[in-house]
Amino acid sequence: MSDTTELPKAYDPKEVEARWYAHWMERNYFRAEATSDKPPFCIVLPPPNVTGSLHLGHALTATIQDILIRWKRMSGFNALWVPGTDHAGIATQMVVERELKEKEKKSRHDLGREKFLERVWEWKNKYGNRIREQHKVLGASLDWSRERFTMDPGVSSAVREVFVRLHEEGLIYRAQKLINWCPSCHTALSDLEVEHEEKQGSLWHIQYPVKGSDRKLTVATTRPETMLGDTAVAIHPDDERYQGLAGQFVVLPLTGREIPIIADAELVDPAFGTGVVKVTPAHDFNDYQTGLRHHLPMLNVLDEAARINKEGGAYAGMERFAARKKILEDLTAQGLLEKEEPHKLSVGGCQRCATVVEPRLSPQWFVKIEPLAKPAIEAVEQGRTKIIPETWTNTYFHWMRNIHDWTISRQLWWGHQIPAWYCADCSPRLEATGGIDYSRAEPIVSRAAPEKCPKCDSSRLEQDPDVLDTWFSSGLWPFSTLGWPEQAPELKTFYPNSVMETGHDILFFWVARMMMFGLHFMKDVPFRTVYLHAMVRDEKGEKMSKTKGNVIDPLDIVLGAPAEQLNKNLRNKFPQGMPAHGADALRFTLASLTQQGRDIKLSLDRVAGYKAFANKLWNASRFALMNLGDFTLDNRPITERELTLADRWILSRLQRAIAVTRTSLDAYAFGEAASTLYQFLWSEFCDWYIELSKGSLYGEDPKARDTTRAVLVYCLDRILRLLHPFMPFITEEIWQKLPMARPTDSIMLASYPEPEASLEDAAAEAEMGPVIAAIEGLRNIRGESNLPPSARITAYVQSADERTRELLERWRGYLMPLAGLGELRITAPGSKPAQSAAFVGPQMEVFVPLAGLIDVDAERERLTKEISRSEQEVGGIQRKLDNPNFVAKAPPDVVEKDRARVEELTARISKLRDSLKRLEPDTSTPAATETAAPEPTASKADAEGEVVKAEAGAVEAEAVETEAGAVEAKSFEDEDDEEFEEIGEEFDEDDGDGHAIGDTEAGEAQASARAERKGVIARGVVKTQAESEASPVRASAEKKASTKKAPAPKPESAAKKAAPAQKAAAKKAAPVKKAAAKKAPAKKAAPAKKAAVKKAAAKKAPAKKAPAKKAVARKAPAKKAAAKKAPAKAQR
RNA sequence: GGGCGGAUAGCUCAGCGGUAGAGCGUCGCCCUUACAAGGCGAGGGUCACAGGUUCAAUCCCUGUUCCGCCCA
């Protein structure tokens, strides 16, 4: 073991993260073998487009998948995660074209196909490499030995095989059909690549003269320019307004062409517009269908750039929107434009360039989808593939059931060229250009370039210039990456994949197509589960886009970046540049924000928060390592050691954290898993266990120390392994430093923790309840009075429940340092110290003599608030109980619970009122005066200077003093029941009523009711308390009985009178020395501090009045107050 | 036009029949030797609106308003 005692104080992710990835790569840990005894688990990475670098969506993808893969790998699976990239045909071609134009002022046509493709390959290599490096920075444990690209030879041969087979089966065909066409990209698009947007447009009413009549038919259209291609007008057959017109003709304005009037019930909605529809089969999908039904001519009036072609006569050469304008002018001039009215319409734009898409008649390749979709629907219906979140299942079905044939050919250069050839000799040719007329030519489909034309034996064959839709090749990804069409062993092992994890935005584009292809070619679903994650947006919920300038590069978050590299928003936020947050922090953030069915709004404050979490883990580990000495954890079961309550408690809580984390991961509830680990590490392990461990670590008992060390290492080992899938780097770094036998060389190969029943310890959790409650109550009193941590206070705990007293007595070593006590006295209920702060806890009442330490006003305010809260709550419940229907109809246990709660609250209120009463300045009784504190303000000043600092572990041994006049300073050696009883007696005289705490039963109800509202920690307590009544506690009680030291109390009234003197002496002696040594260098002089305190108190009074009143007026904040005390809340 | 989701603390979100929770932010006290990227304490909510079911509704049902997304 190297030197483990010195870790840097702050965690530096940059240094650590850079080291480990290389190490893992070197050891080949990411590699999965095709043959293995382990069960397979396989994810293929959705291949990022090589258009550019990774964005935060990719980072989310990588994070979730790496969590799954690392978790499964640690759980004993043969876990394969296949990396790869996508050639992204149209998108990549566009970015390269843009670059070419910007840098060299050239178009792709200037270069020619071959040279241009060389450029695209250069681009692909550059960005493919960058993407690979980015994944490494993120810590993704991808098996790089299996990396693929969609245009690799292997994948390409899979593409050809699929194309040829589908063609042979008649599922791929070539046809001249109306397709979506981007006039800017000059290519066909599939339905999915068209993005519809609601836009404000117009509905123009245009008059078409009926031939041989004075009548004019008014058509309503949103696209007047297409009238040049009209080949009919349609009316509804039942429309009485137009009876008898069907079969006649109208004269198309501007062109003078005569076109028929047809009756069509499907196309025409008589209620819309004028009830007369112009029919343009070559430029509208509905009209196209109508044209087919009525055998209308399909007149194309636009060219590939959406300019009017020669069919448009006078308008030829005009761009479509210019033509629209001109046509409307001309119609107006002729008096044929009846009116224009505003109209909302949905306009389709090109996914890539946003140009308005034009329906266009052209020869393309199509996949006949229905035979493929049917099995894909059934597979999900039968649950062979499960979609998570389930809500997407319906969306999937809806789309799959309404799917049209898929246009797969693209008029691009970058992509898989279609494996079809045409004979240059016997194919029909276009008149205009002399080129092959692809709409009529017969393709020869073949896996490899054919040598001869089967018709004319010519060897002059030309390959179809078009390429395939990118999604055609990525649709094969789950098996093409595993070697298909070869019968690779990988296929056997890893197909079907276990999980397909991707964004919900590509459910149709990609997931649906993989389902269809997988089922068709592999005869089985491509994956068992589809997990669809949300979209990552900026912190305002806006989509990240370059045009908005709100894109955040994940690598900037991880590695940090100079200000000039950041977008504007970030530059404002980080004028000095973005600090490095580390991959672990980014991953944990993304995992935490992953909530099913919601977009992720990424805020850098969150990332910073989780960076702090990493730092917390670092420092908790640092604490442990600093206190381990030469300790090494051996392999014997931890239960064989003599565990303390704190040990048993944290080990038990750990089991719960393990169980919840595992359950959450199983359910893909990454946010819940992350939150569980966050809470456990911070709110339980750090806030409680580490604090509690200090006693034995700094104490004199070597055996106890070793036990604590063992538990620290044991817990850290589990925490690190649990966290490893989320935060791979820091966990490896720390894990390697833990002094213990490591069964594996790396944490990533270690086993994922499993809950151990033997460590679940309900009794320990129950026993911690009162301890935690007491500490929290005391901290509350301290906090409300703004007492500095250095101020020791004295606490009197009164409990009617003997067991509670025993427990508190036994764990005073926990209580005192954590509550900042100088002295702790635990007794049965008796009289209460006058002038004391008080709180009512489960089965106990705690008093803190004010003694000038506590701010009386603040305490009064605090009690008032507590009382009013309790009253509010009791009022609400009482109203319920007064309703006979409630008592009669509600389940008895609910009624009973409420009754118990009322009882408990009533008791609580009366105790609190009593405490409050005893604080009223004007009601102080003579007796109280006798034992009263000196003038509060004066003694407060004293206190500032002379507060005793108790050493953590050494409290017992040290003489502690307080200012309290009511309580004499005394050392713990001679402390105990005798003197205390005596004081109690004296108080009895003051205030005889005794206020006995309720009987045990009531007390218990009270305890559990309270505990129930206590969040994380107490939740365990509640359930277990009742169950645990029996053996374990009794056992410990017995143990305690045997070790109990003090005999029965004996009265000794004289001691009390002598005490003040003692106190005075003590005050002068030790504390002052300490104060001098410790406080002298401190900057704050006593008066200054005092002033500050006073000011604070003064300030508080008026400022707080309003809110306090408001709180009273408000509904029922009582419950909240109680719940808030849960340590979970305490954490920052 | 159809479908899906959402509206809960200043912000981001859990919860989903027994009168509310977290993180961040805010306020107060503290540089207590694991951590100031920290500790302790506090404040902050008619759970969008209107009806209904129920002994009981933030939660179930219906409707309304607003905000996303998908499909046509």
Side-chain angles (χ1 to χ4, degrees):
Chain A
M1 204 58 244
S2 59
D3 179 22
T4 60
T5 52
E6 279 308 315
L7 289 183
K9 205 167 167 179
Y11 174 59
D12 176 15
K14 251 181 165 170
E15 189 273 330
V16 170
E17 292 184 356
R19 233 181 316 116
W20 284 110
Y21 200 91
H23 182 258
W24 294 326
M25 285 284 284
E26 218 168 82
R27 303 291 176 95
N28 218 14
Y29 288 155
F30 303 156
R31 168 85 186 173
E33 296 302 334
T35 50
S36 163
D37 300 337
K38 299 175 182 174
F41 181 85
C42 176
I43 298 178
V44 294
L45 178 76
N49 292 346
V50 290
T51 41
S53 346
L54 298 188
H55 52 64
L56 278 164
H58 295 114
L60 176 64
T61 304
T63 297
I64 294 177
Q65 289 174 28
D66 200 32
I67 288 170
L68 289 170
I69 283 284
R70 285 182 186 266
W71 166 49
K72 288 294 181 180
R73 194 186 283 122
M74 290 175 79
S75 301
F77 286 82
N78 180 26
L80 170 63
W81 189 16
V82 184
T85 43
D86 194 308
H87 67 279
I90 187 166
T92 310
Q93 177 164 323
M94 273 181 67
V95 293
V96 176
E97 278 186 277
R98 196 184 309 140
E99 190 196 46
L100 195 62
K101 194 166 181 191
E102 276 169 19
K103 290 195 176 156
E104 301 174 36
K105 309 261 180 264
K106 282 182 188 163
S107 78
R108 68 182 151 116
H109 301 283
D110 294 333
L111 264 69
R113 187 162 184 154
E114 203 176 315
K115 285 268 181 250
F116 177 74
L117 287 180
E118 279 173 24
R119 296 294 184 94
V120 187
W121 276 103
E122 279 171 30
W123 179 282
K124 179 262 161 193
N125 288 333
K126 181 176 165 194
Y127 284 95
N129 289 340
R130 182 180 290 187
I131 288 166
R132 191 180 312 123
E133 292 315 307
Q134 285 179 304
H135 275 126
K136 291 180 179 178
V137 168
L138 290 169
S141 60
L142 289 151
D143 183 350
W144 293 107
S145 68
R146 301 179 187 281
E147 186 179 6
R148 292 286 183 277
F149 175 58
T150 47
M151 281 168 66
D152 279 347
V155 181
S156 299
S157 87
V159 168
R160 277 196 306 277
E161 181 67 25
V162 165
F163 187 95
V164 173
R165 275 215 229 162
L166 288 176
H167 184 258
E168 286 166 358
E169 295 166 27
L171 295 176
I172 279 184
Y173 62 93
R174 187 168 169 78
Q176 166 105 349
K177 292 212 296 189
L178 198 63
I179 46 90
N180 298 294
W181 179 267
C182 176
S184 172
C185 300
H186 290 197
T187 180
L189 302 171
S190 70
D191 293 346
L192 279 176
E193 287 163 298
V194 178
E195 292 184 341
H196 295 271
E197 199 193 347
E198 187 102 316
K199 277 188 178 160
Q200 188 58 51
S202 294
L203 194 61
W204 287 277
H205 293 240
I206 302 167
Q207 296 174 343
Y208 285 16
V210 178
K211 187 191 170 193
S213 142
D214 289 341
R215 191 162 179 191
K216 286 180 174 127
L217 280 183
T218 303
V219 302
T221 179
T222 58
R223 299 204 55 197
E225 70 279 11
T226 63
M227 67 185 286
L228 299 173
D230 285 359
T231 54
V233 293
I235 53 170
H236 195 277
D238 302 335
D239 194 333
E240 288 181 2
R241 290 172 293 177
Y242 307 114
Q243 282 302 321
L245 284 172
Q248 298 192 40
F249 288 80
V250 293
V251 180
L252 189 63
L254 307 179
T255 66
R257 265 193 301 118
E258 292 177 8
I259 54 175
I261 301 169
I262 58 170
D264 193 286
E266 217 168 308
L267 179 71
V268 184
D269 170 10
F272 180 82
T274 58
V276 185
V277 181
K278 62 193 269 310
V279 184
T280 324
H283 295 286
D284 181 281
F285 286 99
N286 289 325
D287 295 4
Y288 178 73
Q289 293 302 328
T290 311
L292 291 178
R293 281 197 297 276
H294 294 267
H295 307 289
L296 298 171
M298 313 251 170
L299 183 60
N300 181 16
V301 297
L302 295 173
D303 68 9
E304 73 282 350
R307 289 167 305 212
I308 307 292
N309 66 15
K310 64 180 195 314
E311 300 289 344
Y315 304 97
M318 294 179 79
E319 192 275 331
R320 54 187 161 164
F321 297 114
R324 174 183 298 178
K325 208 175 152 214
K326 183 76 169 70
I327 283 170
L328 288 169
E329 281 169 14
D330 292 351
L331 287 171
T332 308
Q334 295 181 25
L336 293 172
L337 186 63
E338 196 173 294
K339 65 174 172 179
E340 171 183 352
E341 55 186 24
H343 178 72
K344 273 206 175 132
L345 75 165
S346 168
V347 179
C350 171
Q351 188 191 30
R352 288 297 153 193
C353 70
T355 304
V356 176
V357 163
E358 196 63 51
R360 180 177 165 84
L361 258 185
S362 65
Q364 304 288 346
W365 292 93
F366 298 90
V367 173
K368 196 172 172 189
I369 219 75
E370 207 225 313
L372 294 171
K374 213 172 152 232
I377 293 168
E378 286 165 2
V380 174
E381 280 172 344
Q382 294 162 1
R384 281 183 287 144
T385 291
K386 214 171 91 192
I387 301 179
I388 299 171
E390 213 199 326
T391 163
W392 289 106
T393 309
N394 271 333
T395 312
Y396 171 85
F397 286 142
H398 184 261
W399 188 76
M400 278 298 220
R401 285 170 185 150
N402 293 285
I403 196 169
H404 299 300
D405 283 2
W406 174 16
T407 315
I408 50 171
S409 43
R410 297 287 178 277
Q411 287 63 52
L412 304 170
W413 288 354
W414 175 242
H416 297 279
Q417 201 167 343
I418 289 173
W421 284 262
Y422 300 90
C423 177
D425 286 330
C426 69
S427 293
R429 296 204 165 254
L430 289 166
E431 272 178 46
T433 59
I436 293 173
D437 182 355
Y438 292 113
S439 63
R440 292 184 291 144
E442 272 214 11
I444 307 155
V445 171
S446 164
R447 288 170 181 83
E451 286 174 10
K452 293 180 187 174
C453 172
K455 273 202 207 145
C456 71
D457 270 359
S458 162
S459 54
R460 292 180 56 228
L461 297 169
E462 289 177 25
Q463 188 171 2
D464 192 316
D466 291 355
V467 300
L468 287 166
D469 183 357
T470 301
W471 298 105
F472 190 89
S473 54
S474 36
L476 317 177
W477 206 235
F479 50 95
S480 66
T481 49
L482 298 175
W484 194 88
E486 305 295 320
Q487 279 310 312
E490 283 80 358
L491 265 183
K492 211 172 204 166
T493 306
F494 295 114
Y495 192 96
N497 304 165
S498 312
V499 178
M500 169 47 59
E501 196 286 331
T502 191
H504 65 67
D505 56 332
I506 52 176
L507 174 61
F508 308 143
F509 278 110
W510 194 41
V511 178
R513 273 128 185 202
M514 287 187 288
M515 287 294 290
M516 293 189 276
F517 282 153
L519 282 160
H520 192 76
F521 288 97
M522 300 298 296
K523 308 293 169 214
D524 197 354
V525 292
F527 22 72
R528 302 290 182 206
T529 298
V530 177
Y531 176 81
L532 296 169
H533 65 239
M535 301 294 105
V536 182
R537 295 166 171 276
D538 75 3
E539 48 201 321
K540 290 182 213 128
E542 302 214 29
K543 208 168 181 172
M544 290 195 191
S545 75
K546 277 184 189 151
T547 45
K548 275 191 197 131
N550 60 350
V551 173
I552 307 176
D553 184 337
L555 255 56
D556 287 351
I557 298 178
V558 173
L559 303 170
E564 57 272 21
Q565 198 175 308
L566 303 170
N567 74 44
K568 215 178 92 201
N569 298 344
L570 287 178
R571 225 177 304 138
N572 289 338
K573 199 177 169 78
F574 299 105
Q576 314 307 330
M578 170 111 73
H581 293 86
D584 286 334
L586 176 61
R587 290 168 60 119
F588 204 83
T589 308
L590 292 169
S592 298
L593 295 176
T594 296
Q595 224 66 58
Q596 291 196 353
R598 284 225 200 190
D599 280 351
I600 292 176
K601 291 181 197 165
L602 186 83
S603 133
L604 280 162
D605 291 337
R606 289 298 289 265
V607 188
Y610 292 116
K611 184 186 172 190
F613 176 66
N615 195 52
K616 190 75 181 175
L617 172 62
W618 183 256
N619 276 293
S621 309
R622 184 165 164 263
F623 167 81
L625 293 172
M626 282 167 72
N627 287 291
L628 288 175
D630 54 4
F631 173 84
T632 301
L633 183 64
D634 56 28
N635 281 329
R636 91 188 136 107
I638 195 101
T639 41
E640 285 180 16
R641 294 175 184 267
E642 261 182 58
L643 299 173
T644 64
L645 173 63
D647 297 334
R648 286 161 53 212
W649 176 77
I650 194 67
L651 289 168
S652 186
R653 300 301 296 162
L654 173 65
Q655 303 318 305
R656 179 196 157 272
I658 293 172
V660 176
T661 304
R662 295 176 62 101
T663 311
S664 304
L665 283 173
D666 273 326
Y668 298 88
F670 303 102
E672 199 186 328
S675 150
T676 301
L677 293 172
Y678 185 102
Q679 295 289 341
F680 177 71
L681 173 71
W682 205 312
S683 305
E684 302 195 49
F685 186 71
C686 290
D687 287 351
W688 289 100
Y689 185 71
I690 284 191
E691 292 310 320
L692 293 171
S693 75
K694 287 174 181 174
S696 51
L697 284 179
Y698 301 154
E700 298 300 315
D701 180 351
K703 203 170 165 194
R705 194 162 53 215
D706 256 24
T707 302
T708 302
R709 288 169 166 175
V711 175
L712 278 172
V713 175
Y714 181 95
C715 286
L716 270 175
D717 169 44
R718 267 66 178 183
I719 289 168
L720 292 168
R721 282 191 271 144
L722 287 169
L723 272 171
H724 179 258
F726 299 83
M727 306 183 117
F729 295 109
I730 188 174
T731 49
E732 178 80 291
E733 175 75 8
I734 299 169
W735 195 73
Q736 293 293 344
K737 293 182 191 294
L738 291 183
M740 61 181 186
R742 266 172 289 278
T744 55
D745 289 335
S746 164
I747 192 173
M748 62 170 285
L749 306 175
S751 66
Y752 206 68
E754 292 175 40
E756 287 179 53
S758 64
L759 292 175
E760 284 168 25
D761 194 335
E765 295 199 24
E767 208 174 318
M768 274 294 280
V771 177
I772 287 171
I775 291 171
E776 286 174 345
L778 286 161
R779 281 176 173 174
N780 185 289
I781 289 171
R782 298 178 65 103
E784 289 293 293
S785 288
N786 283 340
L787 274 191
S790 50
R792 301 291 91 166
I793 57 174
T794 300
Y796 292 77
V797 180
Q798 298 186 348
S799 174
D801 178 48
E802 195 193 344
R803 203 173 65 222
T804 302
R805 290 200 302 275
E806 277 173 359
L807 294 180
L808 293 170
E809 193 62 63
R810 190 140 40 104
W811 308 123
R812 63 165 55 236
Y814 294 156
L815 249 156
M816 296 195 50
L818 269 67
L821 299 183
E823 187 174 352
L824 170 64
R825 309 197 144 240
I826 300 158
T827 64
S831 296
K832 299 145 191 187
Q835 288 287 304
S836 58
F839 88 90
V840 181
Q843 304 183 54
M844 67 176 93
E845 222 175 332
V846 180
F847 303 98
V848 177
L850 299 176
L853 280 172
I854 305 290
D855 181 332
V856 180
D857 290 337
E859 175 60 14
R860 238 183 260 125
E861 199 179 309
R862 195 185 66 82
L863 287 172
T864 311
K865 211 160 53 191
E866 282 286 302
I867 291 168
S868 97
R869 278 178 179 162
S870 296
E871 281 172 342
Q872 293 283 338
E873 192 184 345
V874 98
I877 302 174
Q878 193 56 56
R879 239 173 286 131
K880 229 162 55 170
L881 285 168
D882 290 345
N883 177 354
N885 272 330
F886 171 69
V887 182
K889 294 190 179 171
D893 58 310
V894 171
V895 177
E896 202 34 59
K897 214 171 99 194
D898 279 348
R899 285 205 173 115
R901 181 76 182 141
V902 167
E903 230 168 276
E904 178 203 341
L905 283 167
T906 312
R908 180 184 165 80
I909 290 166
S910 100
K911 284 172 193 161
L912 291 168
R913 277 216 187 101
D914 182 60
S915 296
L916 181 62
K917 199 169 138 204
R918 282 177 301 109
L919 283 180
E920 295 299 338
D922 49 336
T923 57
S924 54
T925 62
T929 323
E930 193 190 357
T931 57
E935 245 308 312
T937 34
S939 61
K940 184 158 202 161
D942 283 357
E944 302 304 340
E946 295 175 295
V947 165
V948 175
K949 288 205 167 190
E951 296 295 345
V955 194
E956 286 100 51
E958 191 157 337
V960 180
E961 62 147 314
T962 68
E963 307 294 325
V967 181
E968 288 67 29
K970 48 188 66 96
S971 80
F972 266 79
E973 276 101 13
D974 69 350
E975 159 255 276
D976 229 75
D977 302 346
E978 21 199 349
E979 277 188 18
F980 189 68
E981 282 303 317
E982 184 226 313
I983 295 166
E985 276 166 31
E986 197 157 312
F987 283 134
D988 264 327
E989 290 162 27
D990 301 338
D991 170 0
D993 74 22
H995 290 283
I997 294 179
D999 65 13
T1000 316
E1001 250 172 58
E1004 271 177 16
Q1006 181 177 323
S1008 57
R1010 178 188 161 91
E1012 192 168 28
R1013 288 170 285 110
K1014 281 179 62 72
V1016 181
I1017 289 185
R1019 220 170 289 141
V1021 178
V1022 189
K1023 280 215 188 91
T1024 56
Q1025 198 151 28
E1027 300 158 13
S1028 65
E1029 304 290 343
S1031 54
V1033 172
R1034 200 175 302 140
S1036 52
E1038 276 160 23
K1039 213 197 291 172
K1040 164 153 197 220
S1042 65
T1043 54
K1044 199 171 180 179
K1045 39 192 174 162
K1050 57 180 165 219
E1052 196 185 280
S1053 53
K1056 168 140 197 271
K1057 303 262 143 78
Q1062 253 171 16
K1063 169 193 155 199
K1067 203 192 229 170
K1068 300 269 140 66
V1072 172
K1073 227 192 286 166
K1074 207 182 267 167
K1078 285 217 164 163
K1079 283 241 156 144
K1083 338 87 241 226
K1084 283 182 200 160
K1089 198 167 184 182
K1090 176 183 156 198
V1093 170
K1094 261 197 181 151
K1095 198 173 91 196
K1099 206 167 71 186
K1100 225 189 249 168
K1104 275 212 170 164
K1105 232 155 226 166
K1109 248 187 219 151
K1110 201 168 129 202
V1112 175
R1114 242 183 224 132
K1115 242 169 108 190
K1119 221 161 196 183
K1120 183 168 41 178
K1124 278 218 158 155
K1125 272 170 201 151
K1129 160 130 213 233
Q1131 76 191 326
R1132 30 247 346 250

